[in-house]
Amino acid sequence: MPSAPTKLYADDVSLLVVLLDTNPFFWSTSSLPFSKFLSHVLSFLNSILLLNQINQIVVIATGCNSCDYIYDSSLSTNPGIENGKLPALCSELLKKLEDFVTRDEQLNKQHSLPPTTTSSSLLSGSLSMALCYIQRVFRSGPLRPHPRILCVQGSSDGPEQYVAIMNSIFSAQRSMVPIDSCYIGSNNSAFLQQASYITGGVYQKPQQLDGLFQYLSTVFATDLHSRAFLQLPKSVGVDFRASCFCHKKTIDMGYICSVCLSIFCKHHKKCSTCGSVFGQAQSDVASASNLKRKTPET
Amino acid sequence: MPEVKIIAKNFMDMVASLPAMKLDKLYDNAFICEAILRSLPPLAKKYVLQMLYIDSPITAKSMEVWVLPDGSSKHRVAIDRLIQLRVFSETVDRRKETTYKINPTFQTNLQKLLTHGEVLPREPMPSNITVRLPSVEDLDVYAIGQWECFLLQLISSAQAERPSNISSSMMKVFQRGLLSQRDKEAPRLTESGFQFLLMDTNAQLWYIIREYISNSEERGVDPADLISFLLELSFHVTGEAYNSNTLTEVQRNTIKDLTDLGLVKLQQGRKESWFIPTKLATNLSVSLTDSSSRKQGFVVVETNFRLYAYSTSKLHCEILRLFSRVEYQLPNLIVGAITKESLYNAFENGITADQIISFLQQNAHPRVAERIPTVPENVTDQIRLWESDLNRVEMTPAHYYDEFPSREIFEAACDHAREWNGLLWEDSKRMRLVVKAEIHIHMRDHLRGQKQ
């Protein structure tokens, strides 16, 4: 028997959390200017809102030092009243985005970190913010739209965020929230491939960035209900490589703590995560068998 | 008089049945495009979005590539709907290849909406002119009050507390089909009238609006204009004031009627007058789709068939009376019991068990709405059982054959009837059989063939 709460919403009502990459290090090198990218994304957001009156959009900016909510359609003021020219969604989002970017830049100066560590965006932070938001919606009452997360990411993976990202991915999997990823950088992102693979989302790397809107509207605008009937892009191969916990390097062979499954690139005397004491690696031959190889799945 | 059949939420069918020229004209209005898009099935929405920036026709084959085997029926429904609403136009070329093209007016309007975002049909009035705007809660109370008053007036004109401005001729139009009027007798609710009362507010609203629109030609108003105005109204912001000067004469008259239904509230300032759309008006385009309203429920059903309704509304009491025995009425509570007699009464009036159960589920008090199931299972089962009790005998019009000249002919006749899936009963000893009435002609032909 269908229960009442699930029937209160139509099948295709969605809550879409979009994670926008605002990393200046990536956008300065990208072939697609940030302004053009934004106009594609804004049209896409408009189209989601257009599809259903109760569709909801949350936009989270992923900077390289911080993350923040920059738009929430359920909180937005009445459209159209603001200063005439730009519609509310654009003006509100752009203003918040600008504030965010300046703040993020100032943080960068304060920390004065070496530029090598800041070249990746804080994807783990924005992922967890998105999941927190979705959890709050889940708990707010019986009326729930179908939530999903869309990462529009350009900068390359930061191996130092490996653990945090994997944790977010697994919690998204547990709460049945698919993570879609649209990767616009040069190489494939192993994190996002894994995220989409594990949570049942769609990973796509658009071939032509000029037509980004078409990619977004054909693939990522599909609501979860319709996905059951449609052929969406399938990932050809997923890079399952992990990062080691000691030097945050991406490795395909390493040592694993037999107690807590932490990954290391070198042999250690003691596990840095759980403190278990390891025995001496007997010989090169024996230690080679302890090395676990993770091969990309095809 | 033709039977008015109540099918809730079929507004889009009405739009689809408009003549092609009017439909194309309707699409000039961006709000209609938006409302139509939102009313489409999910898959159809996706197709529209996908085709929005494609100017050349797309072959049917290339669209089917996207569909998984499971979704082919949904795909067909979506495409049919799009063609029916003239959003897609279908052409079959010489090579028998079907191509679809999106309606250009529809396309440009939606493209504009995408790039500029949603725009309001008119600017709300500045707050310094409209001093005493009602709060959202007040407005909701007002809207529901107006609507219930209208419903009460609809089902029994005597019970309404205050007369509304809706002319009695208009009321007659609304009552047509819901009430049966016999000479010298109090009007009685018809079967569809009972069903109407059990529908949720949005569905009821659409039924009334539909009657209002289909009646518009008699009043000299173009239905297409009315439809576009009503849809436009649904895109206004609830609780904001809009100047009545921006309306045309026809629209101003319409607004007056809508006030009585609780869709808008009219207020008069010193110089200007304005209208404030209520939740009912802004929900108009929502109710086009299947999502139901989000109003608070009030009914608690217990496993002992008792029913507690926390409501002060006379209308609710009347509705509950349709299928339960109301025992006492306290200022904010109606206590009743679901009994076999009360249900039989309801079934006689043409209400089905499923309608009663879905009414109880949809209007469940928030305390029980969280529970699964909201209505105790033994109650829902019993309601269904009592209904099936009444349907123990199933009538099928049939024809009876006997005195077959030989067993072969009898056997052949039986087989023939089986082939048509119409054999109801056979008695091979005495060579008698009964077949469904609709295959009588085939049987007759068959038997004649046998004789020769």
Side-chain angles (χ1 to χ4, degrees):
Chain A
M1 202 178 76
S3 59
T6 49
K7 287 206 78 180
L8 285 175
Y9 265 150
D11 293 324
D12 64 332
V13 179
S14 34
L15 159 66
L16 179 67
V17 187
V18 183
L19 313 182
L20 283 189
D21 192 359
T22 61
N23 191 338
F25 296 102
F26 166 72
W27 288 110
S28 57
T29 57
S30 165
S31 59
L32 178 76
F34 191 56
S35 56
K36 278 230 176 110
F37 164 76
L38 269 186
S39 61
H40 283 290
V41 171
L42 283 177
S43 300
F44 169 68
L45 296 182
N46 272 331
S47 69
I48 296 286
L49 290 179
L50 191 69
L51 286 181
N52 202 318
Q53 196 168 28
I54 31 190
N55 272 358
Q56 197 190 335
I57 290 181
V58 178
V59 183
I60 300 176
T62 318
C64 42
N65 295 294
S66 60
C67 307
D68 204 1
Y69 297 103
I70 53 170
Y71 180 75
D72 183 343
S73 64
S74 67
L75 300 177
S76 75
T77 44
N78 302 328
I81 326 177
E82 260 126 274
N83 57 36
K85 281 201 171 172
L86 277 174
L89 189 148
C90 294
S91 60
E92 203 182 318
L93 196 146
L94 292 178
K95 199 174 141 288
K96 285 255 187 85
L97 188 63
E98 207 175 314
D99 290 350
F100 170 78
V101 172
T102 23
R103 228 178 320 127
D104 199 42
E105 201 183 336
Q106 275 167 1
L107 276 175
N108 195 26
K109 279 177 193 149
Q110 280 170 17
H111 292 309
S112 64
L113 291 170
T116 44
T117 56
T118 51
S119 57
S120 63
S121 319
L122 277 177
L123 181 64
S124 57
S126 56
L127 261 181
S128 6
M129 280 171 95
L131 286 168
C132 287
Y133 189 94
I134 289 169
Q135 281 303 324
R136 203 176 70 206
V137 171
F138 273 164
R139 278 162 209 203
S140 64
L143 288 169
R144 55 178 68 162
H146 302 297
R148 63 179 196 269
I149 299 176
L150 168 64
C151 300
V152 190
Q153 191 76 8
S155 44
S156 51
D157 294 340
E160 71 280 355
Q161 297 174 44
Y162 177 73
V163 180
I165 287 184
M166 286 317 280
N167 284 339
S168 320
I169 292 175
F170 289 127
S171 68
Q173 185 194 21
R174 271 189 68 136
S175 38
M176 317 249 275
V177 179
I179 302 179
D180 293 337
S181 2
C182 177
Y183 190 70
I184 46 181
S186 45
N187 298 315
N188 277 321
S189 154
F191 286 169
L192 289 178
Q193 276 182 337
Q194 291 190 42
S196 302
Y197 180 82
I198 293 171
T199 57
V202 181
Y203 174 88
Q204 210 192 19
K205 188 174 173 302
Q207 300 303 314
Q208 290 183 333
L209 289 182
D210 292 337
L212 184 64
F213 174 77
Q214 194 64 31
Y215 284 102
L216 289 173
S217 63
T218 19
V219 179
F220 298 106
T222 320
D223 56 276
L224 297 183
H225 174 72
S226 306
R227 288 188 188 192
F229 318 114
L230 286 178
Q231 195 105 44
L232 288 172
K234 286 229 172 64
S235 51
V236 224
V238 181
D239 186 356
F240 278 117
R241 279 183 308 166
S243 301
C244 67
F245 287 25
C246 44
H247 303 91
K248 317 287 181 198
K249 279 189 296 191
T250 308
I251 50 172
D252 58 353
M253 242 202 221
Y255 295 85
I256 290 179
C257 168
S258 52
V259 179
C260 69
L261 302 180
S262 300
I263 304 161
F264 303 101
C265 58
K266 276 196 221 140
H267 182 262
H268 290 252
K269 281 194 175 133
K270 204 174 154 192
C271 172
S272 60
T273 314
C274 68
S276 326
V277 183
F278 301 140
Q280 193 66 44
Q282 277 124 25
S283 68
D284 284 341
V285 188
S287 68
S289 64
N290 283 343
L291 290 170
K292 290 252 166 129
R293 174 161 223 136
K294 264 203 172 177
T295 42
E297 192 173 284
T298 44
Chain B
M1 201 182 98
E3 185 82 16
V4 180
K5 199 160 173 13
I6 296 208
I7 312 154
K9 301 162 189 163
N10 60 353
F11 177 70
M12 273 4 245
D13 293 337
M14 200 170 89
V15 174
S17 69
L18 282 176
M21 243 184 51
K22 282 210 171 135
L23 198 56
D24 286 345
K25 212 186 95 201
L26 223 52
Y27 287 146
D28 286 339
N29 186 330
F31 297 101
I32 307 238
C33 299
E34 195 177 342
I36 299 264
L37 179 72
R38 282 177 178 174
S39 77
L40 292 172
L43 216 51
K45 286 184 193 178
K46 199 200 131 49
Y47 290 151
V48 172
L49 196 59
Q50 207 167 312
M51 306 265 284
L52 210 51
Y53 284 91
I54 300 175
D55 296 321
S56 52
I58 295 289
T59 59
K61 265 190 201 136
S62 65
M63 291 192 72
E64 278 157 19
V65 168
W66 281 74
V67 185
L68 291 174
D70 282 355
S72 58
S73 65
K74 297 248 177 194
H75 170 79
R76 252 197 319 279
V77 169
I79 294 287
D80 284 350
R81 194 74 182 147
L82 288 169
I83 291 170
Q84 198 184 14
L85 285 167
R86 297 177 57 81
V87 175
F88 276 15
S89 54
E90 187 183 35
T91 41
V92 182
D93 66 5
R94 268 169 283 152
R95 280 172 295 153
K96 289 269 170 74
E97 225 173 295
T98 320
T99 52
Y100 302 113
K101 196 171 180 321
I102 191 166
N103 183 325
T105 336
F106 191 82
Q107 191 179 18
T108 33
N109 268 326
L110 282 187
Q111 283 177 354
K112 258 184 231 155
L113 276 172
L114 278 195
T115 37
H116 300 298
E118 283 182 49
V119 194
L120 286 179
R122 34 178 80 76
E123 293 282 306
M125 289 169 79
S127 51
N128 53 4
I129 304 179
T130 57
V131 213
R132 41 192 174 82
L133 281 187
S135 69
V136 177
E137 289 80 26
D138 288 347
L139 206 60
D140 284 353
V141 170
Y142 166 83
I144 290 168
Q146 285 289 91
W147 177 249
E148 286 189 351
C149 176
F150 165 77
L151 281 186
L152 263 181
Q153 199 189 359
L154 189 71
I155 52 173
S156 55
S157 316
Q159 283 199 36
E161 286 136 16
R162 59 203 146 86
S164 66
N165 301 326
I166 292 187
S167 62
S168 58
S169 64
M170 186 72 88
M171 214 53 177
K172 286 261 163 57
V173 172
F174 292 146
Q175 284 168 344
R176 183 176 66 195
L178 299 177
L179 290 179
S180 68
Q181 186 95 49
R182 286 203 197 88
D183 293 330
K184 289 175 206 162
E185 228 180 279
R188 275 191 57 216
L189 275 175
T190 62
E191 191 179 314
S192 37
F194 281 107
Q195 292 179 1
F196 173 77
L197 283 183
L198 291 188
M199 294 196 287
D200 65 276
T201 314
N202 275 334
Q204 288 173 338
L205 189 63
W206 261 118
Y207 177 77
I208 293 297
I209 293 290
R210 208 184 54 157
E211 291 292 295
Y212 186 74
I213 293 172
S214 52
N215 178 249
S216 62
E217 259 167 309
E218 290 167 35
R219 285 174 285 129
V221 180
D222 185 8
D225 285 348
L226 200 57
I227 290 173
S228 72
F229 175 61
L230 282 168
L231 284 179
E232 204 175 291
L233 190 68
S234 69
F235 286 98
H236 287 69
V237 180
T238 317
E240 292 281 352
Y242 297 94
N243 201 324
S244 304
N245 289 344
T246 52
L247 301 173
T248 64
E249 188 60 38
V250 176
Q251 290 174 339
R252 225 169 296 166
N253 288 334
T254 313
I255 280 281
K256 274 187 200 130
D257 290 334
L258 297 182
T259 315
D260 290 319
L261 300 180
L263 263 69
V264 288
K265 187 178 168 76
L266 279 175
Q267 276 190 337
Q268 181 73 46
R270 208 169 285 165
K271 276 184 197 154
E272 293 170 87
S273 63
W274 55 84
F275 65 95
I276 309 161
T278 68
K279 206 173 57 180
L280 288 180
T282 42
N283 273 351
L284 274 180
S285 67
V286 178
S287 68
L288 299 176
T289 63
D290 293 331
S291 54
S292 9
S293 60
R294 284 192 259 171
K295 68 177 172 194
Q296 188 131 47
F298 57 96
V299 187
V300 179
V301 187
E302 289 191 336
T303 48
N304 58 4
F305 293 83
R306 290 197 141 251
L307 189 112
Y308 301 90
Y310 291 88
S311 169
T312 50
S313 149
K314 242 174 159 178
L315 180 73
H316 288 158
C317 185
E318 288 300 310
I319 292 176
L320 292 176
R321 223 184 272 280
L322 293 179
F323 59 86
S324 67
R325 190 182 70 217
V326 174
E327 289 176 344
Y328 15 90
Q329 251 179 294
L330 305 176
N332 70 335
L333 176 70
I334 305 160
V335 182
I338 299 176
T339 64
K340 194 173 173 179
E341 288 72 35
S342 70
L343 279 176
Y344 274 18
N345 237 337
F347 297 145
E348 259 169 45
N349 283 322
I351 306 176
T352 66
D354 285 331
Q355 278 170 333
I356 295 173
I357 293 168
S358 76
F359 173 82
L360 292 175
Q361 282 169 344
Q362 276 169 13
N363 291 289
H365 193 274
R367 280 285 180 83
V368 286
E370 292 160 16
R371 263 186 248 160
I372 292 173
T374 29
V375 181
E377 258 169 348
N378 71 324
V379 177
T380 52
D381 287 351
Q382 191 61 62
I383 293 177
R384 290 207 178 95
L385 279 177
W386 276 329
E387 187 192 38
S388 57
D389 266 1
L390 288 180
N391 304 331
R392 236 177 296 178
V393 178
E394 198 181 323
M395 308 271 227
T396 316
H399 282 267
Y400 171 73
Y401 296 81
D402 63 351
E403 295 180 6
F404 282 92
S406 71
R407 189 152 293 274
E408 283 86 61
I409 292 178
F410 170 74
E411 298 282 336
C414 282
D415 289 341
H416 188 74
R418 262 191 218 104
E419 269 167 35
W420 283 96
N421 206 10
L423 182 67
L424 291 171
W425 177 80
E426 61 172 315
D427 177 5
S428 53
K429 260 189 200 156
R430 299 172 65 180
M431 295 202 286
R432 297 180 301 182
L433 82 151
V434 174
V435 299
K436 280 186 194 159
E438 60 259 32
I439 69 156
H440 174 59
I441 297 171
H442 304 297
M443 283 302 282
R444 210 174 48 194
D445 292 347
H446 169 77
L447 289 173
R448 278 207 190 118
Q450 293 275 318
K451 262 182 208 160
Q452 284 157 16

